[in-house]
Amino acid sequence: MTTTDTATTDSAAAEALVGRMFGAALGAAELYTIYLGDIHGLYRAIGDAGPTTATELADRTGLDHRYLVEWLQSQAISGLLTIDGTDVWTDRYELAPGIRETLLDPANPFFAGGLAAILPAVGHAFPQLVEAFRTGAGVPYAAYGQEAVIAQEALNRPAYANSLIAEWVPAVPGLHDVLSRGARVADLGTGAGWSAIELAKAYPAVRVDGYDNDEDSITRARRNAAEQGVADRVDFEVRDITAIAAGGTPYDVVTFFECLHDFAHPVEALTAAREALAPGGSVIVMDERADEVLAAPGDEVQRFLAAASVIWCTPQGRVDEDSEVVGTMLRPDRLRQLAGRAGFGTVDVLPIDHPFWRFYRLTP
Ligand SMILES: C[S@@+](CC[C@H](N)C(=O)[O-])C[C@H]1O[C@@H](n2cnc3c(N)ncnc32)[C@H](O)[C@@H]1O
């Protein structure tokens, strides 16, 4: 290969990479504007009012007019709002098609508001993350601020609301019958509690205990259960996963919804789950659909998971000095190995097709 060939090849690759990085920067900038619109209730205010000027929006929300003009302009240029003219100060804005589903209804299958909260959450923790690369320390979930819980809740609730009962439970042999009879369920790493709440709503004889070591998450979970009318059958407690067996309640079903890979001590967590099982009980794990074997470069899902592992899951799981956190790239072989060390005899991959998650059933 001549010098010229090398230069040509490199500049083509560099140009493609610049395009990709610009696209990512554009996406990040837009996500910040979306998050501002979301936390200030701007999409909701426009959706409720119909065609709205900047002045009317300022009156309605009590927010600063000058900032709103700038925000409205950005949303119109990004195609997230429509504008009925070209004067950003006086013309009227409306929600673009798709905004109601993606940003106004948190249980809608298309709701995507959680994606916008990831950036401010990582922003809170970023100085600690930079330092952690030098020290090897963990970065606690709480360091990611309230936005972390907002993001987590918003990201997964649509799937629990739309798929958990309708698609996932029927795909686990016998689970519907067990739940219908009135099972005791422990939902570990429950976060804001939506998996526990949806199970209780669908199965009136079920009792669920949700555990998480994050206080903010449990506060939200309790509020969510009360609002959904299931607080009498769903109990949420701040507790480290490894201590669940201490309660002495035997559980027919123990669930780990997208959390095992985050735990500092996954084997201990699985061991605690096994010890808490009633005879004949089983553990259901939903975790990331990391490729079975590393593929590099990977597709967009694998890229997202791998990046999330660097900025989110691995630092959060390293909070204990002797942490054995897996990180986001939990592959089936690793899960089998962890389950084996925790004393499980069988690990079945369940026939549930999802772009981000893989499902397993573990039996002692
Ligand atoms: C990715 S979130 C998943 C939350 C929830 N299951 C969902 O799907 O939205 C992981 C959760 O695990 C919790 N967690 C991490 N380590 C824990 C531990 N040792 N004991 C209890 N909860 C833990 C975090 O607080 C967080 O709420």
Side-chain angles (χ1 to χ4, degrees), residues 212-234:
D212 201 289
N213 65 356
D214 180 62
E215 292 206 12
D216 274 3
S217 299
I218 291 297
T219 303
R220 291 177 89 89
R222 286 182 181 142
R223 194 187 60 209
N224 291 337
E227 284 173 6
Q228 297 292 314
V230 291
D232 56 332
R233 289 184 296 113
V234 185

Side-chain angles (χ1 to χ4, degrees), residues 152 156 160 189-190 212-214 240-241 257-258 262-263:
Q152 186 59 54
N156 287 3
Y160 300 138
T190 191
D212 201 289
N213 65 356
D214 180 62
D240 191 276
I241 291 317
F257 284 106
E258 212 208 2
D262 286 312
F263 292 162

Side-chain angles (χ1 to χ4, degrees), residues 3 22 58 71 78-79 107 109 112 115 118 127 143-145 156 170 177 184-186 198 215 287 293 303 342 362-363:
T3 313
F22 176 73
W71 182 82
S78 293
L115 293 171
I118 294 172
Y144 290 69
N156 287 3
D177 293 341
R184 295 282 317 218
V185 178
E198 293 297 338
E215 292 206 12
D287 215 296
V293 176
R303 281 170 52 198
L362 281 50
T363 36

Side-chain angles (χ1 to χ4, degrees), residues 123-135:
H124 282 299
F126 207 68
Q128 283 192 55
L129 181 59
V130 172
E131 192 54 21
F133 266 66
R134 293 193 188 94
T135 62

Side-chain angles (χ1 to χ4, degrees), residues 30-46 57 61 63 68 71-72 74-75 80-81 95 99 103-104 116:
E30 286 187 341
L31 282 175
Y32 274 118
T33 69
I34 290 171
Y35 189 67
L36 283 167
D38 190 15
I39 46 165
H40 287 307
L42 298 176
Y43 299 108
R44 168 90 48 214
I46 296 168
L57 188 62
T61 60
L63 296 170
L68 287 182
W71 182 82
L72 287 163
S74 82
Q75 300 301 286
L80 302 172
L81 298 178
L95 301 181
I99 294 292
L103 292 177
L104 288 186

Side-chain angles (χ1 to χ4, degrees), residues 53-111:
T53 65
T55 304
E56 288 164 355
L57 188 62
D59 288 345
R60 209 179 161 89
T61 60
L63 296 170
D64 181 78
H65 178 258
R66 180 69 188 83
Y67 277 117
L68 287 182
V69 170
E70 219 54 33
W71 182 82
L72 287 163
Q73 173 174 246
S74 82
Q75 300 301 286
I77 291 173
S78 293
L80 302 172
L81 298 178
T82 59
I83 181 168
D84 65 354
T86 55
D87 187 334
V88 295
W89 299 87
T90 57
D91 286 334
R92 295 186 175 277
Y93 300 85
E94 277 190 86
L95 301 181
I99 294 292
R100 282 184 191 281
E101 294 84 344
T102 51
L103 292 177
L104 288 186
D105 174 6
N108 191 287
F110 294 106
F111 187 72

